């Protein structure tokens, strides 16, 4: 009886269940958008990625596309009938065919462009509309083909134009994926566009033991790019479908607009360094054996070079194409502390061409490289770095002197050697400025000063750094320069807090990538974005752009997330989210100076938590002077005289920052904006923030500065100060109850400072302070 009752209740509930209110998008087409089986990996249809770009609470996507289908076979096999029978009022049907309709020799698929192809498209449109649905036509996506001169070749003949003609005749919305995809393929170039399609060596995927060269079907990266073009086309049309496109966590940005990046994969073959004579005895220098293993791996077509568990001593390692250097769990790769093991090479230093010692890990002009694993790489940095007296206790300083080395005349700096001391005291030692190069004799006389970055990768494509720990770097730890498609995941960097120039990560003039799940604890900046310095950086003119930085933790560092100061080639289109900064001198640190030039713009930050920040939680500063952000005892951070200088190519610019959902417990200053009289900092938007600090907002030479729903819990009795700034809107500011001054506006060039929706005691209405204000105080009294 109970079983019958359960069945009755189930039938009753099902009968009265509300109809599915979700909008449905039906995808009809061929292999370029079809779902794939696991065995098809890495082939990916753009329809497989499309759901990631829609709000799935409001829309569902049914992918009916199938490999090899044309408009004709899609109908004759009954696939179209299956789609149209399900269409309900308001649904959308995406229709993209053409690749297989062209196959004149195949009578099961051939559909001539001007006759059957046109008729079938017309049928799809009319029958969709008859059911109350909305047809959307999409022109065929491009294949990849270039001629011998590198010019792109269109292989689609009349078919794209027929789609356009049908769309015009029947007044159907259309996405010209044919044109959009060609633009993208050409932009990637002859070699770069291979990443969009399936170009893989042998021994990587089971389906292709001898490799794949397929210029029709997409990699996961290519499918993501093509799906984003489809959504871009939707957003350009006057249709309601754009209302269900998925918004990202970033201000005014959709998910499809976020950067795309290619992650390299490697052959399964493994080359154990032991086979090449390496010994984990703590005595043998394994430089030759490790580099021989890398050479053999490269010659064989790529794979993994394995550093197994143990302590391995080595000099510089030279990476090669298609090689993944894998540091196994419980492996320590210890780089030599002997300066003679590191030849002097031409590279860069702090954004300028320079001679330095070769990096412990070195790669130039490479494709598909990786450093992965759970092991540790130690750069031996203590034999390279000078150390400041103020950053040591008395006992530490005494021990340092006892260890050897030399001390400066003022007894305020310790150097590992006389050569190190000489280089530190020479201006621009090792730099190549205005074409003038130091002689080899000069370089040798201060070689110990030419400390290398730990990982130097220059003009490399498809880079993966994953899982490993880098520690004790001589200078910058990870330095990708002019690299494309960089993936840095779950990497740990540990350097001494007093290790100057030991930035954890410096992305310089790099494009497209992700920094995810990393943990940094270092003596200089944490996550750092650069693009060259001064005239050399401007001449290079390559910005760092299109990066996602998320789920990272930074402990001690000069800054948690940093842009500059070497940003002369520009920085743009960065997306930072879900990061935590604990004890970094500054949280969000954006720094530059006169002479740099360059434009930093379109920077998006959301969901950042900070604790115990000695300096500013959020800092925009155009007066960077290569000093620590928090003065040591006896130092000062006084500004130079603030006076206007003529505008020129060396005038830097900060603009279009969108920052929201910030929490900071403890800082010296909550928000500091400090622009130049001749070039204000523009379009800074900070929303939904709670910051506990000694000082609140200090804004000097800012323009279009917008704070909304910001809580400033300050010790200073003055919550906000604005000087010589324009169009500053302070909307919904919350503050402590014991403040004397809510807002102080100063300077005879302050204009349009507005206080909105803020309880300022007896101030009952919005306040606007206009031009000519020398000083105006809005107080609670």
């Amino acid at each position: 009886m109970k079983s019958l009752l359960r069945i009755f209740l189930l039938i009753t509930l099902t009968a009265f269940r509300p109809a599915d209110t979700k909008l449905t998008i039906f995808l009809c087409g061929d292999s370029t958008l079809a779902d794939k089986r696991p065995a098809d990996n890495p082939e990916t249809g753009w329809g497989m990625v499309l759901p990631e770009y829609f709000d799935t609470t409001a829309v569902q996507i049914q992918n009916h596309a199938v490999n090899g289908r044309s408009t004709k076979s899609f109908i004759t096999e009954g696939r179209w009938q299956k789609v149209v029978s399900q269409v309900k009022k308001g649904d959308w049907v995406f229709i993209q065919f053409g690749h297989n309709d062209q196959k004149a020799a195949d009578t099961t698929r051939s559909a001539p462009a001007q006759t059957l192809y046109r008729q079938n498209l017309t049928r799809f449109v009319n029958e969709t509309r008859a059911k109350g649905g909305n047809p959307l036509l999409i022109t065929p996506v491009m294949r990849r083909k270039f001629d011998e001169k590198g010019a792109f070749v269109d292989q689609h003949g009349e078919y794209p134009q027929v789609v356009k003609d049908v769309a015009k005749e029947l007044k159907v919305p259309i996405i010209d994926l044919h044109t959009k995809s060609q633009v993208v393929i050409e932009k990637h170039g002859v070699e770069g566009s291979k990443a969009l399609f399936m170009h893989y060596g042998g021994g990587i995927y089971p389906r292709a033991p001898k490799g794949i060269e397929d210029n029709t079907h997409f990699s996961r990266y290519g499918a993501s790019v093509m799906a984003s073009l489809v959504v871009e086309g939707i957003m350009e049309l006057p249709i309601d479908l754009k209302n269900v496109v998925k918004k990202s966590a970033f201000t005014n940005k959709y998910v499809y607009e976020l950067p795309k990046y290619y992650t390299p994969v490697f052959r399964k073959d493994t080359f154990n360094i032991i086979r090449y004579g390496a010994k984990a005895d703590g005595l043998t220098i394994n430089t030759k054996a490790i580099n021989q293993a890398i050479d053999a791996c490269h010659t064989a077509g790529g794979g993994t070079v394995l550093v197994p568990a143990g302590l391995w001593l080595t000099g510089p390692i030279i990476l090669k194409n298609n090689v993944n250097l894998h540091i196994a769990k419980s492996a320590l790769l210890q780089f030599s502390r002997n300066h003679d093991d590191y030849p002097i090479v031409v590279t860069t230093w702090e954004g300028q061409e320079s001679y330095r010692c070769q990096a412990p890990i070195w790669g130039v002009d490479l494709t598909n490289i990786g450093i992965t694993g759970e092991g540790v790489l130690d750069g031996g940095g203590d034999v390279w770095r000078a150390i400041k007296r103020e950053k040591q206790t008395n006992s530490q300083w005494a021990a340092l002197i006892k260890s050897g080395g030399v001390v400066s005349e003022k007894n305020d700096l310790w150097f590992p050697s006389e050569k190190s001391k000489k280089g530190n005291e020479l201006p621009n030692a090792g730099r190549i400025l205005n074409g003038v190069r130091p002689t080899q004799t000069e370089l040798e006389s201060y070689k110990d000063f030419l400390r290398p970055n730990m990982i130097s990768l220059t003009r490399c494509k498809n880079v993966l750094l994953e899982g490993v720990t880098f520690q004790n770097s001589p200078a910058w730890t990870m330095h990708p320069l002019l690299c494309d498609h960089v993936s840095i995941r779950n990497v740990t960097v540990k350097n001494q807090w007093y290790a100057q120039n030991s930035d954890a990560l410096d992305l310089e003039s790099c494009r497209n990538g992700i920094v995810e799940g990393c943990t940094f604890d270092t003596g200089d900046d944490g996550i750092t974005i650069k693009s060259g310095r001064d005239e050399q950086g401007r001449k290079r003119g390559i910005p760092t752009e299109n990066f996602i930085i998320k789920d990272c933790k930074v402990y001690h560092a000069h800054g948690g997330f940093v842009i500059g100061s070497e940003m002369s080639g520009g920085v743009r289109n960065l997306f930072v989210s879900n990061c935590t900064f604990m004890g970094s001198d500054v949280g969000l640190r954006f720094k530059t100076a006169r002479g740099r030039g360059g434009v930093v713009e379109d920077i998006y930050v959301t969901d950042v938590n900070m604790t115990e920040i000695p300096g500013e939680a959020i800092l925009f500063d155009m007066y960077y002077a290569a000093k620590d952000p928090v003065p040591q005892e006896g130092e000062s951070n006084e500004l130079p005289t603030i006076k206007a200088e003529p505008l020129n190519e060396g005038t830097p610019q900060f603009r279009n920052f969108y920052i929201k959902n910030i929490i900071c417990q403890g800082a010296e200053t909550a928000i500091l904006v400090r622009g130049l009289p001749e070039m204000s900092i523009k379009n800074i938007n900070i929303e939904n923030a709670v910051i506990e600090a000694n000082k609140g907002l200090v804004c000097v030479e800012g323009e279009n500065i917008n704070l909304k729903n910001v809580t400033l819990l300050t010790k200073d009795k003055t919550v906000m100060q604005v000087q010589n700034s324009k169009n500053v809107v302070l909307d919904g500011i919350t503050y402590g109850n014991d403040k004397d001054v809510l807002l102080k506006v100063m300077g005879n060039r302050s204009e349009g400072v507005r206080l909105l929706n803020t309880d300022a005691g007896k101030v009952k209405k919005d306040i606007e302070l206009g031009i000519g204000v020398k000083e105006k105080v809005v107080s609670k009294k």
Side-chain angles (χ1 to χ4, degrees), residues 488-492 515-519 549-553:
I488 303 175
R489 290 191 169 97
N490 303 318
V491 167
T492 298
V515 180
E516 178 180 14
C518 295
T519 301
I549 296 105
K550 67 177 183 178
D551 302 325
C552 293
K553 296 188 288 288

Side-chain angles (χ1 to χ4, degrees), residues 246-453:
K246 188 175 183 179
K247 295 179 180 178
S248 77
F250 301 100
T251 303
N252 300 327
K253 282 291 178 179
Y254 293 90
V255 173
Y256 82 92
E257 296 178 290
L258 300 185
K260 315 291 186 301
Y261 51 89
Y262 177 88
T263 302
V265 291
F266 303 94
R267 294 177 70 225
K268 307 303 180 187
D269 290 4
T270 299
F271 298 76
N272 192 318
I273 63 172
I274 294 175
R275 289 169 48 197
Y276 299 87
K279 296 180 180 179
D281 56 11
L283 299 172
T284 303
I285 301 298
N286 295 294
T287 313
K288 183 177 180 181
I290 295 173
N291 283 311
Q292 280 183 341
I294 290 172
D295 289 343
C297 180
H298 165 69
T299 301
T304 296
V305 171
L306 175 64
V307 180
L311 170 58
W312 308 89
L313 303 185
T314 183
I317 292 173
I318 315 300
L319 296 179
K320 296 287 182 72
N321 289 339
N322 303 311
V323 172
N324 173 25
L325 179 65
H326 186 82
I327 317 299
K329 186 176 182 179
S330 300
L332 170 58
L333 191 61
Q334 175 66 62
F335 288 96
S336 167
R337 292 179 169 88
N338 183 352
H339 296 143
D340 292 338
D341 290 336
Y342 300 88
I344 298 172
V345 296
V346 175
T347 178
T348 64
W349 173 247
E350 294 185 330
Q352 293 179 318
E353 191 177 15
S354 178
Y355 286 96
R356 308 296 292 182
C357 289
Q358 188 172 50
I361 297 181
W362 177 266
V364 178
D365 293 321
L366 302 179
T367 301
N368 291 342
I369 55 172
I371 304 173
T372 66
E374 298 179 64
V376 177
L377 299 91
D378 188 300
D382 46 311
V383 300
W384 296 93
R385 293 188 302 263
I387 297 177
K388 295 179 180 179
R389 171 68 181 87
E390 72 230 15
K391 294 189 175 184
Q392 301 281 287
T393 65
N394 289 336
S395 59
Q396 288 171 333
W397 184 250
L400 194 61
I401 293 175
K402 187 177 179 180
S403 71
V406 293
V407 180
S408 66
E409 285 72 14
K410 294 181 179 180
N411 199 41
D412 59 352
L413 263 175
W414 174 87
F415 305 97
S417 66
E418 284 287 354
K419 287 186 176 183
S420 172
K421 180 174 182 290
K422 179 179 179 179
N424 272 280
E425 293 176 348
L426 285 175
N428 297 315
R431 295 187 192 269
I432 303 171
L433 300 175
N434 301 317
V436 178
R437 296 173 179 262
T439 66
Q440 193 64 31
T441 301
E442 290 174 321
L443 292 169
E444 288 292 341
S445 73
Y446 52 75
K447 178 180 179 179
D448 299 1
F449 164 75
L450 302 174
R451 53 195 171 110
N453 298 330

Side-chain angles (χ1 to χ4, degrees), residues 12 32 57 86 223 304 376 387 453 515 618 641 661 763 776:
T12 303
T32 58
T57 65
Q86 298 181 67
T304 296
V376 177
I387 297 177
N453 298 330
V515 180
I618 303 174
T641 303
N661 300 340
V763 179
K776 181 72 175 179

Side-chain angles (χ1 to χ4, degrees), residues 496-546:
Q496 296 285 3
W497 76 271
Y498 54 77
Q500 57 185 323
N501 307 115
S502 64
D503 300 11
L505 169 64
D506 292 271
L507 289 167
E508 183 175 355
S509 295
C510 293
R511 293 172 171 167
N512 311 312
I514 187 168
V515 180
E516 178 180 14
C518 295
T519 301
F520 297 152
D521 192 343
T522 192
D524 211 304
D525 288 327
I527 305 164
T528 319
I529 310 299
K530 299 180 182 290
S531 62
R533 178 171 174 172
D534 300 344
E535 183 181 358
Q536 288 188 21
R538 296 193 298 272
K539 185 177 180 180
R540 180 199 296 163
I542 297 177
T544 293
E545 60 183 340
N546 306 330

Side-chain angles (χ1 to χ4, degrees), residues 92 173 233-242:
W92 284 83
I234 290 169
M235 300 302 289
E236 294 167 351
L237 292 169
I239 57 177
D240 292 340
L241 190 58
K242 66 179 66 175

Side-chain angles (χ1 to χ4, degrees), residues 76 315 385 708:
T76 59
R385 293 188 302 263
K708 185 175 182 179

Side-chain angles (χ1 to χ4, degrees), residues 117-143:
Y117 183 66
R118 179 188 293 268
Q119 293 166 17
N120 290 339
L121 293 179
T122 301
R123 175 179 173 178
F124 294 154
V125 169
N126 290 337
E127 292 187 5
T128 298
R129 284 175 167 171
K131 293 294 296 289
N134 302 293
L136 188 149
L137 292 175
I138 304 174
T139 54
V141 65
M142 281 290 190
R143 297 183 178 96

